[in-house]
Amino acid sequence: MTQSTSVPTVQLNDGHSVPQLGFGVFKVDPAETEGLVSTALQTGYRHIDTAAIYGNEEGVGKAIAAAGIPREELFVTTKLWNDDQGTDAALAAIDSSLGKLGLDHVDLYLIHWPAPKNDRYVETWSAMQQIQQQGKATSIGVSNFLVPYLTKLLDGADVVPAVNQIELHPAYQERDVVEFSRSKGIHIEAWGPLGQGKYGLLEDPAVTAAAAAHGKTPAQVVLRWHLQQGNIVFPKSSNPARIAENFAVTDFELSDAELAAITALENGGRVSSHPDEVN
Ligand code: NAD
């Protein structure tokens, strides 16, 4: 089995560490999840990012159980869906997720979206703190939180979120959210790190030139760009060759000029709905 020792770890504000590169399973068919996560674990990935709404926590759990990797070597994230915000629902939702995963705790539990129309995310954060105290989630954080939502959450928080998982790729860099989060000690996890293959990112000359210069693929260059800015990433692929390709990004370094050329690709191209609208 490939070793994962070359993946850097990032230390979170609560003292716990996360492998900076993982495997995401959004839109992975539940029936294929166990096989693909097993492939990822065999490749060397030790960090898996799922969510209750993906409907594939059971497949993730089966792959983990079958792999026989010591639990402390794995980092597993899942997320609380919008309908489960509020104290009682959140406390029940983590139990449901842990049951499906076959685990007694996750390493990271996230509020998936602020869902501002329901306006329950401050109350939900209190429940997340309880979940952490109960030992059911080692670290807790948020996802898709823009600055006003983070500000309101922090006002009433005893625990500062360990991460904010946001859409972030060269075409959409959310610099205001990144700067604000980092100023509060909140690490950035970049979802959609490849822009879900949209916006011609992987065909752009800034990316393809760097790929040619380093003997790497465009996807590897974009993932490397993330790692060199300190982002935590977990690209998704259902193709075993690409799962391996996306893992082989720790053995080269982009120059400052290459990084700058890729950073210049910002064009406001978001792949998801706006967080104000997801409820
Ligand atoms: P991604 O940017 O990782 O794109 C995945 C797509 O890129 C694949 O389906 C494939 O089409 C393409 N791709 C993958 N590897 C490639 C390669 N080597 N070469 C060429 N094309 C390649 O997008 P994502 O899946 O949306 O994001 C990654 C993970 O982030 C998800 O699986 C999930 O875990 C998480 N996520 C979180 C949220 C959230 O709201 N918190 C939303 C979306 C995704």
Side-chain angles (χ1 to χ4, degrees), residues 108-258:
L108 180 61
Y109 196 40
L110 304 179
I111 300 181
H112 204 147
W113 293 87
K117 290 207 176 101
N118 304 327
D119 197 17
R120 284 183 304 193
Y121 59 87
V122 170
E123 176 195 341
T124 304
W125 187 248
S126 295
M128 298 290 281
Q129 294 176 164
Q130 244 180 285
I131 287 165
Q132 185 181 38
Q133 279 165 8
Q134 293 168 344
K136 294 176 180 175
T138 306
S139 298
I140 52 174
V142 296
S143 178
N144 298 300
F145 271 56
L146 305 180
V147 173
Y149 305 133
L150 273 179
T151 304
K152 188 168 162 185
L153 181 142
L154 287 169
D155 265 355
D158 294 324
V159 175
V160 175
V163 308
N164 188 11
Q165 182 180 125
I166 55 172
E167 177 177 349
L168 199 169
H169 44 78
Y172 191 68
Q173 296 174 38
E174 303 218 59
R175 284 180 197 146
D176 58 331
V177 184
V178 171
E179 275 170 32
F180 184 80
S181 299
R182 289 195 174 141
S183 76
K184 302 292 179 190
I186 301 169
H187 256 283
I188 294 296
E189 295 196 329
W191 72 251
L194 301 170
Q196 296 181 348
K198 297 175 188 161
Y199 299 109
L201 257 189
L202 302 182
E203 291 84 43
D204 191 281
V207 174
T208 56
H214 293 277
K216 289 287 182 178
T217 67
Q220 288 172 322
V221 164
V222 172
L223 294 172
R224 185 70 213 169
W225 174 86
H226 282 285
L227 296 184
Q228 286 184 228
Q229 346 246 328
N231 300 335
I232 299 162
V233 283
F234 23 81
K236 173 255 167 182
S237 176
S238 299
N239 171 333
R242 283 181 170 176
I243 291 173
E245 177 184 330
N246 295 345
F247 193 67
V249 293
T250 56
D251 59 351
F252 72 110
E253 190 91 11
L254 296 172
S255 69
D256 289 347
E258 288 167 334

